[in-house]
Amino acid sequence: MCVAVLGLTACHHASVPDTFSPSDELPRIYPDYVNVTVPVNISPLSFLMDDGALEMVARYSCADQEIVCGGEKAQPPLDEWKQLTAQAQGKDIQVEVYARYDSGWKRYKPFSITVSPDSIDPYVSYRIISPSYVTYEELSINQHSLENYDESIIYSNMLCSTEELGQCINCHNYQQYHPGRMQFHARQNLGGTVLVYDGDVRKINMKNDSILSAGVYPAWHPWLKLIVYSTNKTNQAFHTRDLNKIEVFDSGSDLIAYDIDRNEVTNIQNAPDEFEVFPFWAPDGKTLYYCSAHFEFKDTIGHEEEVVQRAKEVKYNICRMSFDPETWQFGKPEVVFRADSLDKSATLPRVSPDGRFLMFTLGSYGCFHIWHRDADLWMIDLQTGEVRAMDEINSSNTESYHSWSSNGRWVIFSSRRDDGGYTRPFIAHIDKNGKGSKPFEMPEEDPARHREYMKCYNIPELMSGPVTISPQTFADVLKSDGEPPVNYVQQLRNH
């Protein structure tokens, strides 16, 4: 166990008060870093008192290393924090918090931060969007260093939007965490799919009369130049009395596969009474997971209106198909998890890098669980077949999109646990048995930033490094004519 300290590094000229009243209570801090487990390479865990204290002092300590921070916020310097986490690797950092009130100083019960030797991928990217239902004038895909707080814009739609013609951007995705092999979509003005492969940046026109729509939700094969997409007819509906104020739904969705080198596309699942969505490859590249909901239209009214009226009947199951990387042929679909037998709907299947665990989101109905307050993370052990709720990670509000780290020891996911209105990134450790640790909010240099930054963080994707292509390069590509439209083929051809 790590105990008190020999060396001293002070930030903001802080010192531990000489006189104080001891308390058996843990401090109320934001973000809540009390007794969390963090990666050894994580940026400093800054926090503030969340109870109206006049000022505070925090002491982080392990063995002969110590950092003392004070003022309105505890903000450990990066260099000293790296020394401390190196010392505490595989052990605990003890945190003592002192807070001053009108009645004087109080020393709270110390808590621990466990420093796991398991590192996390150094970067994460996400879409930054306002939480309103219809406004997307300003959107960006940003990247953030989990090691030092650095943040930059990968691409902003403001580079290609005008007062009359706006642009929506979404669905960034990488091949095996590789920042030099990525794609994202631009919709409406100067729309197309931007594809990056080892320095080559292209604009793809994926519209074709033989497929339902251009590609939407992507899944890049682990090593082949092959991307599977869902194609979706997506609509929105608004509720006046339901707690879930907005509903995003599909009135049709299929799966397609896109051959990058040949610029060819084909349908791989397009049954008329199935809504297929959210493809994801197993790490061995031989199995494609996805979600599918059985829905038979009565055709007494328009399809969009019918899905709105029957929205709570739409229940997605988790399915999979085999795939032969040599012949590029898919096998027959099979159901992995029948959520509809529980009167539930499963979305966003994500397989751990070792192939053992499949994490997904479970809600009452539908496919857009980021707007559903009952949405939680669940786990399937693909070895044993055990299915369980991740109660150790879930909150009383929305948990939705999630991404595994490349070593399979961490997940980063979107949660609305703080205030119910904004999605923010949370990180949790996952042990070898699939058990999660208490999640912690992605650290920022200013611990108040997430509360003061009135934006949602959507689709957090971990990366092995930063994207180095400039936003203006992406804008120039989008402003170009791009590649010829995709060619439709009846089936993919092996290379």
Side-chain angles (χ1 to χ4, degrees), residues 179-255:
R181 298 178 182 178
M182 70 169 294
Q183 72 99 72
F184 67 88
H185 301 308
R187 307 295 190 199
Q188 297 180 312
N189 187 42
L190 301 173
T193 294
V194 175
L195 184 68
V196 179
Y197 196 89
D198 293 351
D200 179 32
V201 186
R202 298 153 56 188
K203 177 182 175 180
I204 308 300
N205 178 1
M206 209 170 292
K207 293 181 179 180
N208 188 285
D209 291 341
S210 296
I211 58 178
L212 190 64
S213 71
V216 181
Y217 300 112
W220 201 315
H221 189 274
W223 67 87
L224 296 175
K225 295 176 78 172
L226 171 69
I227 304 176
V228 170
Y229 294 93
S230 65
T231 57
N232 305 65
K233 288 186 176 180
T234 301
N235 303 87
Q236 292 185 100
F238 300 90
H239 301 291
T240 56
R241 293 190 295 178
D242 197 299
L243 285 175
N244 299 321
K245 294 301 182 185
I246 184 172
E247 189 59 54
V248 179
F249 62 92
D250 291 331
S251 59
S253 56
D254 300 327
L255 295 183

Side-chain angles (χ1 to χ4, degrees), residues 155 160 167 184 186 190-192 194 203 474-480:
Y155 173 70
C160 287
Q167 184 186 74
F184 67 88
L190 301 173
V194 175
K203 177 182 175 180
F474 285 130
D476 292 343
V477 169
L478 283 167
K479 291 174 182 177
S480 71

Side-chain angles (χ1 to χ4, degrees), residues 240-438:
T240 56
R241 293 190 295 178
D242 197 299
L243 285 175
N244 299 321
K245 294 301 182 185
I246 184 172
E247 189 59 54
V248 179
F249 62 92
D250 291 331
S251 59
S253 56
D254 300 327
L255 295 183
I256 62 172
Y258 174 63
D259 182 332
I260 295 173
D261 279 340
R262 290 192 170 115
N263 197 36
E264 293 177 345
V265 66
T266 191
N267 287 298
I268 57 175
Q269 282 295 315
N270 62 342
D273 54 0
E274 293 287 329
F275 295 160
E276 299 99 348
V277 71
F278 297 132
F280 190 85
W281 288 98
D284 65 2
K286 297 179 180 180
T287 306
L288 180 75
Y289 288 85
Y290 63 98
C291 299
S292 184
H294 185 76
F295 191 88
E296 297 182 13
F297 287 101
K298 299 177 181 178
D299 284 328
T300 55
I301 55 177
H303 284 188
E304 289 82 5
E305 185 179 352
E306 184 172 350
V307 175
V308 170
Q309 292 183 5
R310 299 172 57 197
K312 294 189 178 181
E313 299 178 30
V314 183
K315 315 281 184 177
Y316 287 81
N317 297 317
I318 297 177
C319 304
R320 67 186 172 198
M321 292 185 292
S322 63
F323 176 76
D324 186 340
E326 297 297 324
T327 64
W328 285 45
Q329 298 306 301
F330 290 90
K332 295 182 179 180
E334 61 175 318
V335 178
V336 177
F337 173 65
R338 287 199 171 275
D340 60 1
S341 67
L342 304 175
D343 198 29
K344 298 289 185 180
S345 185
T347 60
L348 297 168
R350 298 288 182 269
V351 183
S352 60
D354 63 3
R356 178 174 176 183
F357 298 107
L358 185 152
M359 188 178 291
F360 64 97
T361 303
L362 191 73
S364 296
Y365 63 92
C367 65
F368 217 72
H369 286 151
I370 196 170
W371 284 107
H372 292 186
R373 296 191 179 195
D374 68 336
D376 283 328
L377 296 177
W378 281 57
M379 185 88 88
I380 302 175
D381 186 328
L382 295 174
Q383 286 186 0
T384 67
E386 178 192 7
V387 184
R388 70 177 185 90
M390 299 287 288
D391 292 331
E392 68 275 26
I393 287 179
N394 293 322
S395 70
S396 60
N397 217 302
T398 306
E399 270 71 55
S400 56
Y401 195 96
H402 44 282
S403 171
W404 289 91
S405 64
S406 59
N407 61 11
R409 293 280 72 91
W410 303 93
V411 290
I412 186 166
F413 61 95
S414 296
S415 178
R416 295 193 175 186
R417 65 187 62 204
D418 280 343
D419 53 30
Y422 293 85
T423 51
R424 298 186 177 104
F426 281 77
I427 300 169
H429 186 260
I430 306 295
D431 68 18
K432 63 180 181 180
N433 298 313
K435 183 73 174 180
S437 67
K438 176 182 175 180

